Every structure is written in structure tokens, then in C-alpha cells.
Amino acid sequence: MATNPNWPLMQYAWGATWGVNGASVPSEILTDLTSRSRGRVGIRRGRQYELDQIRSGTVDLALVNTDGALDPLNTSGPWYGHIAPYQPLRMRAQWPPTQNLLTPAQATGGDLGGFALGTAGTQYGLGIYSDTDAYPNYGQIVASSSAWQGSRVFQMSVPSGTAAGSRIIYTLMTATERTVAYTVQMQVRNITPSTTVQVTPLIGWATAGRTVTRVTGTPVTLVGSTTAAWTQVTLTLTLDPTAAYAYPGLSLAATASATANVQIDGWQFERGATATAWTAPNTWYPLYAGYVERWPSSWAMSGTYGTIQTTSVDAISLFSQQILRDPLTEEIDARKPRYLYTLADPQGSQSCADALGAYSPAPLIVSKFGAGSLTFGNQITSATSGGTYTGGTGTVATVANPGPGAFAVNPATLISLDQAGIKGPVDPTSWTRMIAFRYTGPLPADHATIWCSTDSKRSGHNPAGSQVTVALDSSGQPGLYLSGPSGAAAIYPAGGATNCADGNWHLLMFGYSQALGQVMVSQDGWTLAYWFSVPASTTPSGLQFDSVGGWVDPVYGNETLWGYAGDISYVAEWPFLFAGADITAVYTAWKNSFAGDSSDARYKRILGWAGYTGPTAIQSGLTRSMGPAAVAGQDAMTALQSVVDTENGEHFVAADATVTFRARSARYNALTPSVIFGERADLGEVPYEDCQLDYDPTRLANVVTITQASTNQVFTGSDTTSQSNYFPRSLTRTINSSSPQECQDAANYLLSRYKQPAVRVAALKVHVSANPSAWAACLGLELGTRVRVMRRPPSPAGTIQIECFVEAISWEFSDNGDAYLTLQCSPADLTPYGLFASFHTTLAGSPAAGVTTVTINAGADNTNPAAAQLGAGQQLVLGLGTANQETVTVQSVSATTSGWSTAVLTLTAATTKSHSSGDVVCEPLPTGVTDPTTWDASAKFDSVAFSY
């Protein structure tokens, strides 16, 4: 295939065999549509200003369709039945161009591409597979002094007896075009002495329905030796008209007679019917990864020239369509429950609905002794402050049956799950159940049943067979009554059990695993809640009755005993036994909606709730404690943006489809530009065709108000000088930090950042095709990259230099050979800032006199390592304000990581006095100052400005 040395090798690849794929754009099994593109191709990603919400990246791509192949209604088309909205689209460019369609790592045996020696299957993005050296290994990258090229090779194990046709190595990352000839070549050898392996090159292809055909070449016998020579294998194949994708590789031509190790190097896959000289491919730069949203067709030239003007969006568009529920429901649903009765049904309801729609509404049933009271539509209340839960929204059911907790017949109304088709766990050998409850009756005289499931076996009106019942005992503590068909019930007290007859809400999770021989009963998120060595005879098989809100026996006409009084909600079941992490996640969601999350943890959590399964690049955020995740009713994109607003960071879908979250530190730690744009190519600057600067007031703000989401408390930063100069201009933001100090800091920072207007780069246009040397720099740009723009007006005007960050990237390619890149950039902070205050904390232990190490608690900053805050030779005061106050000198500081709680200080000399845990440790203070917090309030942005 001939290449244009001044133009990248472009590839527009579409996934005809894929669906939306969890909002993940695959890099494999793709169809090459590049030759069908016509006219202008436009790619737009980013946002206009740094405070704006990121917008979905879009692509306008016109595809010729004279053969009707891309017409969804063309029954004879090669992709009929496999053309749909939201199929993936990947656009990339190789620069400088080569004929080799593989990645640099694949072509060179791992020499290029930044991959490590070792197992291939664990290295994301390498993209090689093997049937013989199967998952999870997929072979190795090994060092070799006799590699065909470079110093590394791929090495695949071929076990004895492996069947002919098994693929030794292959990749699915090569997008291909139907009816086109492709050639694969590779260098291979067998390094295991006294063995022979017969191999053949392979090109496999498949239809859009993934019906696979494998075509092999001439078999080659590899004689094993530690010094075996390399053998080249080659195969050419013209792809079938129905081919949706193809892949190159190497397979066994005959069953392996002995275990051997086969090495591969010098791999090439190219368009054309002839193998050209092997060339290491250059970098593939991602341009865009998203989904074809629409396929509008048109026919011109009297209906003879058909085109499809596709429009595409990235994952942001999908997130904006996903409406989130409350955190508890999201965590419940993430674990694929069998059913979920939230009991948030309206007042007057005579049944409760399954929120998943998997089962019919569960009706209310009445005791043979008469009706009690079970009502819906009641508010969440508790006896004491903090006794409620915040993870769920809506109302709850209230049970007010008489005689709760007594072994006595009383009227009652309950919820019958068995009449909705639920008769115990769907698989009695493995399950977890959950219910939230608030008991309001007296301390049970016997026990108060919350949920009961039994079979029909009875002995004197008592259960005599399988049973799954949870109840409060006479101490008010919950326990699980569990038995198999033999009827010998064991009682398993709940881990973390307390007296629940307190009028407050509690969450009970309980479950069983026959395979593990375990029973789990957890109150309020307690993870030390497992009983071990439980016999298989405990399996509660044959359950027929299942009721919530008390004990009922349908065998005897709905006799009711051991009644319950109080509120209930969130009745759910899963077909597996919860692990400790499941217990913690679901309980935390129920209790406080994950209050205390760091911003990065919250971002990941929301991505999970949105169903995203693709790649991520998420930095550790500097907001370490957020408020509750109040996301119910929000779309996922809005929820993600609120996390970014709180962090004051940025997020976007990168050109390779990676969802990216960056902390606020990403920009103030980016001190040097990655690319310099200017007129001086001789100085390494990238020339531009047009530069539009704007000294605008768009983001001017001198009255900044920050609202704390969890409290609605307002924090303000204002600047009277700016107000006088530019009139009062407001900026408002709601953030979800649990720290009032962080909210105030946010107001102060945004004020310092926007109280003065700044020069912005409204548009910087680079004619890349006219300057081929600019391709690498331009293709490598990503949103959030720091760049420098140089502008040199005619003399005597001085040089203009603007430090800025890329906010928007727009590419325009046309089939007449032109390519333009247009950037929109926001200015970097005009002034670096410093925070000055006295370091202060407390002792974590009680060091005696004569020790040379002391342990301190983390101070105000446990994000940065302790060694970044305290250095060798620094003096500290131990026991400030006590009789044993003394000054010591630090020799070294122990290693810590972000989130550290304590650190060990080694001193240059032993202490002379003893100290108590909690004593103040601080830097020496000026004469007359006795309070180390004196400067805390003034340690804010704009207190000190300096250059560095």
C-alpha cells in the first residue's frame, strides 16, 4: 500500500458487531470505513470556557453509500440487521505513516509501546491473545539477545496435545475493509529442544453476526532449539464481501506432539496482495472515540449517488440520558437483585410493587384472628436524632398490629410475598436478603418477627421443616432462625447486634451459602457477621410461604403470632451470599448516601451507577470528604459535573474513549507547556494560521458565593476594588464538600482567579497539512493540556506570550488534502499563590523522656506526605503550653501516603521530658504568641503572592 509521507495514515473504524457496550468504545473487532468518507470530516470536543460544563464530543462524517451497504433496510447488504444507533466509532491517525496496521508493541514483540516484560494478558492495551497460552496469560513478553529485531519477543506456550487449528497468537485490533486484500507476515521460531511444532499463518474473518472463517497458509515445521533460526511465514487473503472484521495470527497446523515454546517477532499486517519489507509502525494517535447516533441517508444525481451523513456522540451524551435513582437503589441494583420492594407505595395501597418489575405486586393479607394495621405512605422518622437513613427517598410502610413481641394470637395485617410468586430464596443454596426496619413496640416478651418463610411441615402448630425467619428476641436483638427440611432450626445472632427496640432505623442483611458452609447475619453494616462450618442440611429447601411484617402460618388459615410493630422498607433478595464489601457498600448507601467520599471515589461511584464499563483515568481528588450523594432524579452527567464542580477540577472523554477526571491540582501543578505555538519554527514553535485573542469579561467575577449542598450555608468571597472597576459581577456555585473551610476556600480561590479580566485564546487555527512537521504535536494534544501561545506583532510592539490550557479541540479533514486544527484555550492562573501558617498537630502517643522518635497525628493536610511538610533540621515544640514543653529538632520523617493519619518523626537528640497523647506539637511561635492556630484564618488565597 502506497503511503503519503506528508499525511497520516487515517482510519475511521465502525463496530458493526457491537452495541453500546456499557458506554465503552472497543478497540477491537471493527470495520474500516475510511475509503467511504467523502467531503469534510469534522471532530469537535471540549467546552468553551473553563467553568462551563463539558459537552459531548461530536463527529460529522459523510460516507458514500452507492452500493446501499450502509442502508439499514437493505436486506442483501453485508451488514443487514447489524446497523443501529450507538454503535462504536473509532478514529485514529498513524504518524509518520507506515504500511503496518499493527500497533508498535504488536509489531516488535513488545519492544515499543511502553509495555513491561512479563505476562501479556495483564497489560491493558497490548491486545494480543492465544488459544494455546490461554487466559489469563495470553503469552509473555520476554527479553531475547537473539530477537529478530530489537531485544524482546512474544513467547507463547503450546502444550502437548493442543489441537490443530488452535491459535498460537492473534490480535483483534486491526480494523479491516471487506473485498480488500490483506497480507500478514511474521518471524517465528521454536526454542524448546527436542520438539517440533507445525505452524501456519492465519487470517480469520467474520460476518457482522460473528460467524467466523479461518484461512491458513502453507504449514511450516519449526524444529526446537535454544538457538533456533527465525522463519518467516506469510499469507495473503482478499476478504469476503460479507466480512465485518478480520484478524491476523499464527495457528497450529497439526496437533502438538510435545509441549513447546514458540516465539514471534517482526509481525506485520498490511493492505495489499504482496508482503512488503517489514516496518515498525509509528504511533497511532487517537482522534475520537464515540458512537454513531444517526444514519440519515440521501440520494443525489437522479438517485444514483447515495451518501450517509452520520452524526456521532461520545459517552457524555449517553450519561446525560441516564437518570439516576437514590444511592441505595443504585447499590442494590448494581448487585442484580431478584426483587426489590421499597415499600414506598402511596397511601391507601393494598399491595406493594416490585421496583424491578420482576414480580407481581405483593398483596396485604389478614390474620384469621382479624385485621391489624399496615399502611403505606408514611414519612421516615426516628426516636432520636440521627436514627434515620438518608440513602433512600420516599415513604415507608408502617405496621401497627396489636400485641407485638408476644407469644399470643392477635389480629394482624401483613405483606404476602408468596402470593406474588416469591416462596423463599430462588436458590435455597445461595442467597442474601435485606430489610430496613424501625421497631416501635415494647421490648419483646418472646420475640417480634420481622420476616418469615416456611415450608408446610408442622408439629403442634410449630414449624417442623425448612424455615428462614428473622426476629427480635427478648433483648431486642435480631437473629436468624434457619433450618432445612429436617426442621432442626439453629439461631444465628446478628453481628453488631444491639437492642433495636429503640425507635430508630436499622438495616438487617442475612444470607446463606451451602457451598461455603456459611451463614451471614449483619446488623447496621457489621462485617464480622459470618457463621462458619454450617452443615448442608441447613439448606432451607421447599419453602412455600413468605411474609413480611410478622409471623403468619397459612397452613392453619393465617394464624398469627409473635407480632411486629413499627416501620419497614427496602425488602430485597440477591442470589448469592454477600461479602464484607457488599455489606459495607449497601449499608453506607442506606445510612448516609456515602457521605465522606473523596471526590474521585464519588466520581467512580456515579460512573458505576450509570452502567459505565469502559476505561477510566481518575486522579485522586483533593476534596477528601463530600456530603451525601443526593443524585436521585439527576442524569448521570449532571451528577458527575457536580463532583467536578466540588473538586474544581475537570473531566472529559479523551480521544481514545477514556473517561478522564482530573483534580484541581492538575492545572496548578502543570508549570510548563507541552506545546508552544508561534511564528518561530526555528525555535521549535508550531506555526499557526490565525490567532484570535479576546480580553473579555465573560468570566469576570468579584462577588463569589458558594453554597454548601448538604446545609445550604452560603460562603462569600468579594473584592471591592474589582467591584469599583467593573461593577459588581456575581459567580455562584454549589459544591458538595462537607468542610465549611473548603467551601470558604473555594469562594476565595474563584475570587482570586476571576476578579480581573484575562486575555483568552478564542481560536487558534493551525493548518496542519501545510506544515507536516506539526502533525505529531497536534495529534498528541488532549483537553486540559498546558500550551503557550506566542504572538509577535510587527516592531516596535513587544512579544505577546500567553500561558493557557486547551479547553476545546476541533479537527477538520477534507478529501482535497487539507487538515486544520482549531483550539480554544483559557488562561492559566495569572499569579501563583502560597499559603503561610504555623504547622500544628498533636502527639499520637505518650513518649517518655529519653526517646528519639515521636509519633504525631496528621495536621490540617494529610493529602501531601508528612515529609513534604516537615524537613530535616526543622524545629518543633512538643507539649506547647504544658509544664513539660520542650523544643526538638527533626532528623527525618517517615514515609506516608495520601490520607495518612500518623507519622513518625526521628529526632536529632533524645527528648528530655515526657509528654502525653494529645499534647500540641507545632512550629516555634513568635514572642507573645501562644496559640498555633493564630494564622489559620488568614491562610487563604491572596494572602501572599509570589513568583517562582
Side-chain angles (χ1 to χ4, degrees):
M1 180 186 72
T3 59
N4 180 352
N6 295 318
W7 188 270
L9 177 62
M10 307 293 290
Q11 192 177 81
Y12 307 152
W14 161 60
T17 71
W18 294 97
V20 75
N21 197 43
S24 173
V25 177
S27 59
E28 303 175 335
I29 309 180
L30 299 172
T31 299
D32 188 353
L33 297 179
T34 311
S35 66
R36 287 181 174 265
S37 67
R38 293 293 185 271
R40 172 188 168 276
V41 178
I43 304 173
R44 296 171 298 280
R45 300 170 49 240
R47 56 186 177 178
Q48 185 173 6
Y49 291 103
E50 66 268 28
L51 293 183
D52 290 345
Q53 180 171 316
I54 197 77
R55 292 174 291 187
S56 180
T58 60
V59 167
D60 295 323
L61 173 64
L63 301 171
V64 67
N65 191 39
T66 54
D67 58 355
L70 294 172
D71 188 336
L73 300 179
N74 181 3
T75 57
S76 61
W79 304 301
Y80 176 70
H82 297 277
I83 300 174
Y86 300 111
Q87 290 176 314
L89 176 70
R90 183 192 71 182
M91 307 177 75
R92 62 179 184 168
Q94 187 194 81
W95 180 259
T98 71
Q99 76 276 22
N100 199 337
L101 300 177
L102 299 176
T103 67
Q106 292 166 352
T108 63
D111 277 301
L112 303 176
F115 295 95
L117 292 170
T119 302
T122 59
Q123 303 193 57
Y124 176 78
L126 183 56
I128 63 170
Y129 302 99
S130 175
D131 296 337
T132 65
D133 202 339
Y135 177 85
N137 291 332
Y138 292 140
Q140 306 279 322
I141 300 176
V142 300
S144 174
S145 60
S146 58
W148 184 78
Q149 63 77 47
S151 60
R152 296 181 178 187
V153 297
F154 293 133
Q155 180 169 301
M156 287 6 205
S157 173
V158 180
S160 177
T162 303
S166 299
R167 295 167 295 187
I168 299 171
I169 189 173
Y170 66 100
T171 181
L172 298 168
M173 293 179 69
T174 52
T176 54
E177 183 178 355
R178 67 191 188 97
T179 71
V180 171
Y182 289 88
T183 299
V184 60
Q185 62 172 292
M186 59 177 64
Q187 302 290 333
V188 296
R189 67 182 179 183
N190 173 11
I191 63 166
T192 304
S194 304
T195 65
T196 59
V197 178
Q198 198 172 45
V199 301
T200 177
L202 161 75
I203 296 179
W205 63 272
T207 64
R210 298 202 181 186
T211 299
V212 178
T213 299
R214 297 180 186 175
V215 178
T216 57
T218 303
V220 173
T221 299
L222 303 179
V223 178
S225 169
T226 57
T227 59
W230 291 97
T231 298
Q232 185 184 58
V233 294
T234 304
L235 172 65
T236 295
L237 176 68
T238 298
L239 295 186
D240 190 86
T242 63
Y245 67 93
Y247 59 88
L250 181 74
S251 69
L252 278 175
T255 300
S257 59
T259 298
N261 288 317
V262 174
Q263 292 186 342
I264 299 95
D265 200 359
W267 194 359
Q268 183 157 294
F269 187 60
E270 60 188 308
R271 290 172 71 108
T274 304
T276 62
W278 178 87
T279 303
N282 291 306
T283 302
W284 282 101
Y285 292 93
L287 290 170
Y288 178 84
Y291 316 89
V292 182
E293 186 174 48
R294 301 178 62 194
W295 296 86
S297 60
S298 62
W299 293 85
M301 300 180 181
S302 300
T304 61
Y305 188 77
T307 58
I308 302 286
Q309 185 64 54
T310 64
T311 56
S312 299
V313 296
D314 65 18
I316 289 174
S317 177
L318 302 179
F319 295 153
S320 67
Q321 300 172 40
Q322 174 65 35
I323 303 300
L324 300 177
R325 299 157 296 182
D326 60 76
L328 178 57
T329 302
E330 291 292 353
E331 286 297 318
I332 290 172
D333 194 48
R335 289 161 176 79
K336 307 304 179 186
R338 178 188 177 194
Y339 55 81
L340 169 61
Y341 290 91
T342 65
L343 307 188
D345 304 87
Q347 292 182 4
S349 297
Q350 295 302 301
S351 63
C352 52
D354 177 11
L356 305 179
Y359 285 88
S360 301
L364 300 185
I365 59 172
V366 174
S367 165
K368 69 182 295 184
F369 307 118
S373 174
L374 195 158
T375 59
F376 295 99
N378 303 296
Q379 298 301 310
I380 301 172
T381 60
S382 63
T384 61
S385 176
T388 61
Y389 61 91
T390 64
T393 57
T395 57
V396 299
T398 298
V399 182
N401 292 329
F407 180 68
V409 295
N410 284 294
T413 300
L414 306 94
I415 297 170
S416 175
L417 296 180
D418 53 89
Q419 292 191 28
I422 299 168
K423 300 179 179 182
V426 66
D427 177 2
T429 68
S430 181
W431 50 272
T432 296
R433 286 184 157 186
M434 181 187 84
I435 187 169
F437 68 95
R438 183 178 81 97
Y439 182 70
T440 57
L443 192 67
D446 194 311
H447 65 265
T449 302
I450 303 171
W451 189 348
C452 70
S453 304
T454 66
D455 62 13
S456 60
K457 294 181 182 179
R458 297 292 182 270
S459 175
H461 286 234
N462 291 316
S466 293
Q467 178 181 187
V468 176
T469 297
V470 287
L472 302 182
D473 62 18
S474 58
S475 66
Q477 297 185 5
L480 170 63
Y481 296 73
L482 182 65
S483 63
S486 65
I491 302 174
Y492 299 93
T498 61
N499 179 5
C500 295
D502 58 1
N504 293 321
W505 281 93
H506 300 280
L507 188 67
L508 191 65
M509 288 177 263
F510 53 101
Y512 168 73
S513 171
Q514 176 180 294
L516 298 175
Q518 293 180 14
V519 165
M520 178 274 291
V521 190
S522 169
Q523 178 192 317
D524 296 335
W526 199 263
T527 55
L528 298 177
Y530 292 85
W531 296 82
F532 301 94
S533 302
V534 178
S537 59
T538 301
T539 302
S541 58
L543 295 172
Q544 296 184 31
F545 310 113
D546 218 328
S547 299
V548 174
W551 167 266
V552 62
D553 191 349
V555 172
Y556 293 106
N558 287 350
E559 286 187 351
T560 49
L561 297 166
W562 301 302
Y564 175 85
D567 298 334
I568 48 178
S569 66
Y570 285 94
V571 175
E573 180 187 305
W574 295 266
F576 63 94
L577 182 66
F578 269 17
D582 299 308
I583 294 172
T584 298
V586 172
Y587 173 74
T588 306
W590 174 81
K591 183 62 178 176
N592 61 23
S593 298
F594 295 106
D597 270 351
S598 63
S599 54
D600 53 292
R602 178 67 55 79
Y603 197 91
K604 293 176 186 176
R605 202 179 302 282
I606 294 171
L607 284 178
W609 293 341
Y612 180 69
T613 60
T616 60
I618 299 178
Q619 287 187 346
S620 178
L622 297 188
T623 295
R624 305 310 300 168
S625 178
M626 295 187 68
V631 299
Q634 292 183 348
D635 63 82
M637 189 59 201
T638 298
L640 292 169
Q641 185 64 48
S642 69
V643 178
V644 176
D645 289 343
T646 298
E647 173 62 35
N648 197 37
E650 62 181 328
H651 70 150
F652 52 85
V653 177
D656 64 355
T658 300
V659 172
T660 303
F661 169 86
R662 290 179 180 167
R664 53 181 175 266
S665 56
R667 292 208 171 188
Y668 60 68
N669 284 336
L671 304 179
T672 58
S674 297
V675 179
I676 300 176
F677 295 95
E679 302 93 331
R680 295 288 303 275
D682 59 312
L683 297 179
E685 298 175 0
V686 175
Y688 52 81
E689 189 171 88
D690 185 27
C691 180
Q692 299 175 15
L693 305 181
D694 193 355
Y695 190 49
D696 68 271
T698 303
R699 284 291 174 255
L700 187 64
N702 45 44
V703 181
V704 179
T705 55
I706 300 295
T707 301
Q708 187 179 34
S710 58
T711 65
N712 287 324
Q713 187 175 2
V714 177
F715 302 85
T716 303
S718 63
D719 187 275
T720 55
T721 301
S722 177
Q723 293 172 30
S724 176
N725 290 338
Y726 307 112
F727 204 72
R729 300 177 65 96
S730 299
L731 187 158
T732 62
R733 175 178 286 187
T734 298
I735 69 174
N736 197 14
S737 171
S738 62
S739 167
Q741 290 80 9
E742 185 170 344
C743 294
Q744 185 62 60
D745 284 346
N748 292 335
Y749 170 75
L750 292 173
L751 177 70
S752 69
R753 178 73 173 85
Y754 297 109
K755 67 183 180 181
Q756 295 294 335
V759 175
R760 301 174 184 279
V761 181
L764 181 76
K765 190 171 186 178
V766 181
H767 193 176
V768 191
S769 56
N771 296 280
S773 62
W775 276 113
C778 293
L779 289 170
L781 281 175
E782 185 51 274
L783 298 174
T785 302
R786 180 160 182 161
V787 299
R788 178 178 296 158
V789 177
M790 305 296 296
R791 188 77 180 96
R792 297 177 177 88
S795 181
T799 298
I800 299 170
Q801 177 176 315
I802 305 172
E803 301 291 324
C804 48
F805 291 94
V806 175
E807 300 293 353
I809 296 174
S810 176
W811 280 101
E812 184 175 321
F813 303 98
S814 64
D815 53 11
N816 64 2
D818 267 335
Y820 290 93
L821 170 68
T822 302
L823 305 177
Q824 192 275 328
C825 305
S826 64
D829 280 356
L830 303 180
T831 311
Y833 298 99
L835 302 179
F836 289 92
S838 167
F839 175 85
H840 59 88
T841 184
T842 57
L843 285 170
S846 302
V851 300
T852 56
T853 61
V854 296
T855 302
I856 62 170
N857 293 311
D861 178 9
N862 71 341
T863 299
N864 293 303
Q869 304 175 56
L870 298 169
Q874 183 168 347
Q875 290 189 323
L876 292 175
V877 177
L878 305 183
L880 179 71
T882 69
N884 286 347
Q885 176 176 321
E886 67 174 317
T887 300
V888 298
T889 302
V890 176
Q891 178 174 298
S892 62
V893 182
S894 66
T896 57
T897 57
S898 180
W900 63 279
S901 57
T902 62
V904 177
L905 309 181
T906 301
L907 309 177
T908 58
T911 59
T912 60
K913 300 175 182 179
S914 62
H915 302 279
S916 300
S917 179
D919 278 358
V920 173
V921 178
C922 69
E923 294 179 76
L925 302 175
T927 302
V929 179
T930 59
D931 182 3
T933 68
T934 298
W935 298 280
D936 286 4
S938 62
K940 62 183 182 181
F941 287 104
D942 276 358
S943 296
V944 176
F946 62 95
S947 298
Y948 58 91

Tab-separated table of all heavy atoms in Angstrom, residues 106-123:
chain	number	residue	atom	x	y	z
A	106	GLN	N	2.781	-4.634	19.142
A	106	GLN	CA	2.468	-5.899	18.487
A	106	GLN	C	3.492	-6.231	17.408
A	106	GLN	O	3.913	-7.383	17.265
A	106	GLN	CB	1.071	-5.828	17.866
A	106	GLN	CG	-0.053	-5.743	18.883
A	106	GLN	CD	-1.367	-5.340	18.266
A	106	GLN	OE1	-1.438	-4.965	17.090
A	106	GLN	NE2	-2.434	-5.392	19.047
A	107	ALA	N	3.902	-5.253	16.655
A	107	ALA	CA	4.802	-5.496	15.537
A	107	ALA	C	6.214	-5.834	15.983
A	107	ALA	O	6.950	-6.509	15.266
A	107	ALA	CB	4.833	-4.275	14.619
A	108	THR	N	6.604	-5.373	17.182
A	108	THR	CA	8.001	-5.502	17.616
A	108	THR	C	8.203	-6.485	18.755
A	108	THR	O	9.264	-6.513	19.363
A	108	THR	CB	8.546	-4.130	18.051
A	108	THR	OG1	7.783	-3.663	19.180
A	108	THR	CG2	8.461	-3.120	16.920
A	109	GLY	N	7.198	-7.283	19.056
A	109	GLY	CA	7.357	-8.234	20.156
A	109	GLY	C	7.441	-7.553	21.505
A	109	GLY	O	7.998	-8.120	22.451
A	110	GLY	N	6.892	-6.353	21.613
A	110	GLY	CA	6.888	-5.640	22.887
A	110	GLY	C	8.037	-4.676	23.071
A	110	GLY	O	8.182	-4.076	24.144
A	111	ASP	N	8.878	-4.492	22.044
A	111	ASP	CA	9.984	-3.537	22.177
A	111	ASP	C	9.474	-2.105	22.327
A	111	ASP	O	10.023	-1.318	23.088
A	111	ASP	CB	10.905	-3.616	20.953
A	111	ASP	CG	11.910	-4.750	21.058
A	111	ASP	OD1	12.693	-4.746	22.021
A	111	ASP	OD2	11.886	-5.637	20.199
A	112	LEU	N	8.449	-1.760	21.559
A	112	LEU	CA	7.913	-0.405	21.571
A	112	LEU	C	6.558	-0.391	22.273
A	112	LEU	O	5.934	-1.422	22.461
A	112	LEU	CB	7.757	0.119	20.132
A	112	LEU	CG	9.013	0.119	19.267
A	112	LEU	CD1	8.686	0.574	17.857
A	112	LEU	CD2	10.099	0.986	19.891
A	113	GLY	N	6.122	0.802	22.657
A	113	GLY	CA	4.783	0.943	23.221
A	113	GLY	C	4.716	1.067	24.713
A	113	GLY	O	3.642	1.296	25.267
A	114	GLY	N	5.850	0.875	25.427
A	114	GLY	CA	5.849	1.097	26.873
A	114	GLY	C	5.309	-0.048	27.707
A	114	GLY	O	4.967	0.155	28.876
A	115	PHE	N	5.228	-1.247	27.150
A	115	PHE	CA	4.746	-2.385	27.918
A	115	PHE	C	5.908	-3.074	28.635
A	115	PHE	O	7.051	-3.015	28.193
A	115	PHE	CB	3.998	-3.364	27.014
A	115	PHE	CG	2.740	-2.795	26.446
A	115	PHE	CD1	2.730	-2.206	25.179
A	115	PHE	CD2	1.569	-2.813	27.179
A	115	PHE	CE1	1.571	-1.673	24.652
A	115	PHE	CE2	0.396	-2.278	26.656
A	115	PHE	CZ	0.396	-1.700	25.401
A	116	ALA	N	5.568	-3.755	29.733
A	116	ALA	CA	6.592	-4.360	30.576
A	116	ALA	C	6.842	-5.808	30.184
A	116	ALA	O	5.993	-6.478	29.573
A	116	ALA	CB	6.162	-4.298	32.043
A	117	LEU	N	8.020	-6.305	30.549
A	117	LEU	CA	8.292	-7.728	30.423
A	117	LEU	C	7.327	-8.485	31.318
A	117	LEU	O	6.934	-8.012	32.388
A	117	LEU	CB	9.732	-8.030	30.833
A	117	LEU	CG	10.841	-7.481	29.926
A	117	LEU	CD1	12.202	-7.655	30.599
A	117	LEU	CD2	10.829	-8.167	28.571
A	118	GLY	N	6.932	-9.688	30.891
A	118	GLY	CA	6.029	-10.489	31.707
A	118	GLY	C	4.761	-10.859	30.962
A	118	GLY	O	4.681	-10.776	29.732
A	119	THR	N	3.765	-11.253	31.726
A	119	THR	CA	2.519	-11.768	31.166
A	119	THR	C	1.833	-10.727	30.297
A	119	THR	O	1.657	-9.583	30.701
A	119	THR	CB	1.583	-12.216	32.301
A	119	THR	OG1	2.250	-13.202	33.084
A	119	THR	CG2	0.309	-12.805	31.745
A	120	ALA	N	1.416	-11.152	29.103
A	120	ALA	CA	0.787	-10.218	28.167
A	120	ALA	C	-0.648	-9.911	28.552
A	120	ALA	O	-1.127	-8.784	28.399
A	120	ALA	CB	0.831	-10.799	26.756
A	121	GLY	N	-1.372	-10.915	29.051
A	121	GLY	CA	-2.794	-10.756	29.305
A	121	GLY	C	-3.143	-9.748	30.370
A	121	GLY	O	-4.267	-9.273	30.438
A	122	THR	N	-2.187	-9.409	31.236
A	122	THR	CA	-2.465	-8.459	32.311
A	122	THR	C	-2.189	-7.016	31.904
A	122	THR	O	-2.405	-6.106	32.709
A	122	THR	CB	-1.604	-8.790	33.544
A	122	THR	OG1	-0.219	-8.734	33.181
A	122	THR	CG2	-1.933	-10.174	34.075
A	123	GLN	N	-1.729	-6.803	30.671
A	123	GLN	CA	-1.326	-5.456	30.259
A	123	GLN	C	-2.373	-4.875	29.304
A	123	GLN	O	-2.449	-5.255	28.140
A	123	GLN	CB	0.057	-5.492	29.620
A	123	GLN	CG	1.112	-6.084	30.560
A	123	GLN	CD	2.523	-5.842	30.081
A	123	GLN	OE1	2.930	-4.703	29.867
A	123	GLN	NE2	3.276	-6.910	29.919
